[in-house]
Amino acid sequence: MARSFLQLLQLMLLPFVLSAMVASVARGAVVEHTFNVGNLTISQLCQPARIITAVNGQLPGPTIHTDEGDTVVVHLVNSSPYNMTIHWHGVFQRGTQWADGPAMITQCPVRPGGNYTYRFNVTGQEGTLWWHAHISFLRATVYGALVIRPRGGDKAYPFPKPDKEVVVILGEWWNDNVVDLERMAFLTGMTARHADAYTINGKPGDLYNCSAANTTTTFQVRRNETHLLRIINAALNTPLFVKVANHSFTVVGVDAAYTTPYKTDVVVIAPGQTVDALMVADGDLAAAPGGRFYMAATPYDSAIPMGPPFSQTTATAIVEYTGQSNLTVPPVLSTRPEYNDTATAHRFLSNLTALVLPGKPTVPLVIDTRMFVTMGLGVSDCQPAQLFCNRSAGPVFSSSMNNASFVAPTTISMLEAHFTNASAGVYTRDFPDTPPFIFDYTGGASDTAMLQFTTKSTMVKTLRYNETVEMVLQNTRLIAKESHPMHIHGLNFFIVAQGFGNYDEAMLAQLSH
């Protein structure tokens, strides 16, 4: 369910800012890269070697290191057999919206054999972001980190200077061709099957079949040194719990925004999100005589009563103490949360609060536009292009917001249509501020065929520049209820309240006084 829903959120919310862009000022260096997207032969999980799509022959792809205020220039060369775009996940793109990357939203895809240059700056952002393909399921293997350090160097961090920084990218791995999986899911109207494994820096780890040294990532640490872990969830579908045996974290940032330091022994991270966490290498070596501790990533499944199948497995990497390791002794593995441990997930997510810094934005107090947006899974009729859809079996799954299920254009990108005043027949400006029906959104009795049904459209919400929007996001019980990561291209937002059940404005007003 979440696989199409996350894409839906990205595509539907992006047009909110099409007409609300101003250029930010670059004041740093130019950081230039060439991304050659092509074939990479790789073997995992006892499978014969096969070809995947990757950047510069790497999985994950290269990390881009920048300082705040730098200009990033990436020359994309598409040597793959597939159409390609790259999205710079979390970058504001003020005045450079052509570089954002979603196929048919801000650009047409780069054809096989073609090339495209992305140019943007990273002003007013510090921390960990990432980049990935934004077409089909190709971001399963086309992804990498984007690190933005403070302009004053590591001494400018609003937390103690770490001794070392480490990128930790979580992912999902399929033994099948992911483009074929996505295409068949669309043609049939069925959901694509779940991943075969989870990965840490491209490797599943030695708890899977055919484990070996080259299938497990190892992080070298020195005792009592502080490491800044830049954790990225590049998975398509699955939120993940992350733990390091016998160690704890202090979270200091999420999605390139600093947080009030929060101590925890587990990180919960949804697809598309990043977490910056300090980890002191102070593990109890008496409990790990081999001087090695597992980092473990396990799935979090929030769906009630039941979501789509998922891989109930664990990806691992090894945290190894330099000069104190014994490779003949297995690493220590911690206990992991249960797959449906919503209490742990909610505790982590609700304890993340913004670090208020001088000159940085604070919560706006005057609201210009209010929106109430329901979201969840519903059903719709088979579309003409879904050639293998079983029309006699009834409707198929469709994610929606306010009962509108988004369809991307096929002939011109939405951004080009906007700037050339050619939006007629491409999209409409009537995305509703409220759902068409008021009902018990989280009640089981509301899961009816009438409420499940949604229609396909290409609707956007148009806002004035600098407008302040209050958006209440209401999850629904239709078919199933589960957590959803929220991502708006080009913007950060303030979370001012969250909870379970139906939104109650009157109760919230009472609690705030």
Side-chain angles (χ1 to χ4, degrees), residues 94-108:
R94 289 177 176 154
T96 54
Q97 56 269 38
W98 299 101
D100 195 48
M104 302 311 297
I105 309 301
T106 61
Q107 69 170 99
C108 292

Side-chain angles (χ1 to χ4, degrees), residues 377-378 403 437 439-440 445-454 478:
L377 192 67
N403 207 44
F437 306 106
F439 60 98
D440 181 2
S446 298
D447 190 19
T448 65
M450 181 193 76
L451 291 174
Q452 286 180 5
F453 193 81
T454 182
L478 304 180

Side-chain angles (χ1 to χ4, degrees), residues 3 44 49 57 66 107 149 207 266 304 314 345 349 360 442 444 503 510:
R3 62 179 54 89
Q44 306 237 59
T66 69
Q107 69 170 99
R149 291 161 58 88
L207 297 188
V266 59
I304 300 173
T314 300
L349 297 171
K360 296 297 183 181
T442 56
Y503 172 70
Q510 284 184 340

Side-chain angles (χ1 to χ4, degrees), residues 283-307:
D284 183 2
L285 294 178
R292 300 192 299 156
F293 302 84
Y294 273 126
M295 174 186 290
T298 55
Y300 166 50
D301 178 47
S302 62
I304 300 173
M306 180 182 297

